[in-house]
Amino acid sequence: MKQWILFFSIFIGSGFLFAKEQGEFPADWTSVSPTFSYPSVFSFPESESVELFESLLQSRNHLYFQTRTKEKQITIYEYNLETKEIHPKPWDKGKILGWTECNSELLIQTKQKLYALQPKSWEIKKEYNLPSPSSSWKDIICSGGNLVRLEKDQLQQVHLESLEERPFLPLPMKSVQRIVKVSESEILLISSFSGNTIQLFSLPDQKTKKEWKFPTNHRALFKLTSLKEDRFLVFDPITKIYGEWILFDNHIFPIDGLSKRSDGKAVRFSPIESKIQYKLELSATSEIRETKLVVVLPKKDTYSQELRTETFYSPSVFGLDETGNRTLTFTIPAMKEGESKLLSLYEGNLTRYKIHWKLDPNSLVNREENESKFPNELRDDWFVKLEDPIVVGKRDELFQGKTTLLEILSETSKYVSSIPYQSGKFEAAPYVILKNNGGCTEHSYVTMSLLRGMGIPTRLVWNYLPTESSSEMSFNHKYVEVWVDGLGWIPLEPLAPPKSKPGVTHARHLVFAVLPTPTHPKIVGGDRLVQIAKDQIPLGKQLKMKLTILKKETGDRLEEEIGIQPNRIRTRAIQAGEDLVVP
């Protein structure tokens, strides 16, 4: 008889503490809150619209937009970010060609004049006889008493008191389309060319201080403003993108769904929520006695995945090891020849994240300490061959003169991600280096071989890299985790974006187990998620098994699928009835 039970939290808790003692390094994650809440639906009155290349104006908690009707009638709207109220503002001075905030006033540029307004009263405080050099939109900002205007690939400067022109400032980036003020001395240079590039430009120094890629629709960049130095707002009625982005480790992340580790050393973002189910089909090829089976469950809580509201097949025995690997052992009654069963083994609500770790550029490898704490994750074996001349030669080639952990991990990631993907034969690291191709397992072997030889603990991650549009999962991927003191285990994923950056992956893996070798302690003869218990292996020829993992999305999927090389490897029948194989 099949039943469902909730697993007792005391067992999970005790396993969690044990895992912590063994170096799993659990940490709290805190959701990052936006400065404001944003509407899911926002619109202007019917028939009014904003222009693509015209910027919005942000002043404290208000946004200003210039709209037009089909008859070219202009209206200025003020949107309150706190109250969500929108109001038209009186304006009869003609088409606006640029605007900015300056010393608590709004500067508005028209074809003939520049106006200074008080935002609350909307009263014009001053008029400047400063015509626009163009009839089209030109971004302006106020800095150091000067009006600064974007003019092709340079900045035009005009002193606001004397209206005297100052020398033009050449820009280091070509095809600049927007300028946004960040502080009195720094502005953002924005271009949708070359992958949504943003540069932080110092006006006094006349040079770029930092450069980023902004991960949003290229059209939405034209409705971007800076809330503070590490936070940006996009509010675009055209693309319907409304929200904040945050700067972390010199990268920009959407704040929606983003959480930060309690020590500030990592962020995870862009979550996808799913409900997963294990369905096991059994078919007896001959009469079979009572049989014990083992199934591998997903890891419960890691830096990149969480499982909640879990149910397990009953009666069964839950297993948890020191690294958080989980199994379920259960018994099926005797079956007659030709008899079939369909068992529901497991259900859980799954959340998967993209992950980005911030590594200390000055951290060094402590080989002696690592060897005492992680002997299994530094051990030589057939698949790594640490002392093979080919491996040693590649190590010398890559790491010559490299002393920091970040340098060693970066060189490893760069090299391994350059190895062409090709269905492999589970060959050891030296053979993969020599032939320069392989599947995800072989990429992992090379990574482990290079790093273990440097005294850096590594382990293999059994996982599934989902095709988000599919309702079924196949156990078909591997990558490597490395131990970093102060952080814990972090991913090196050479086959999914961004590939060559250690501690960062935009793939949302479903992790089943982490292991120092390719062999699971409760699974014999290959990579699989279910099999007959070790003491009953001979019964495998009498029982066919097919495990299906169903996935149903419970939240909105915000992005397209991860671009990873597809698995073209042949199916290997390691044991009769087994069809879940990792390439």
Side-chain angles (χ1 to χ4, degrees), residues 268 287 353 437:
R268 58 187 190 185
E287 187 171 338
Y353 299 87
N437 64 62

Side-chain angles (χ1 to χ4, degrees), residues 26 76 88 91 100 136 219 275 357 399 414 431 502 530 560:
I76 308 301
W91 184 253
T100 187
S136 60
R219 292 173 176 263
K275 181 177 182 179
W357 291 88
F399 305 141
K414 182 179 177 181
Y431 302 105
V530 63
E560 56 190 43

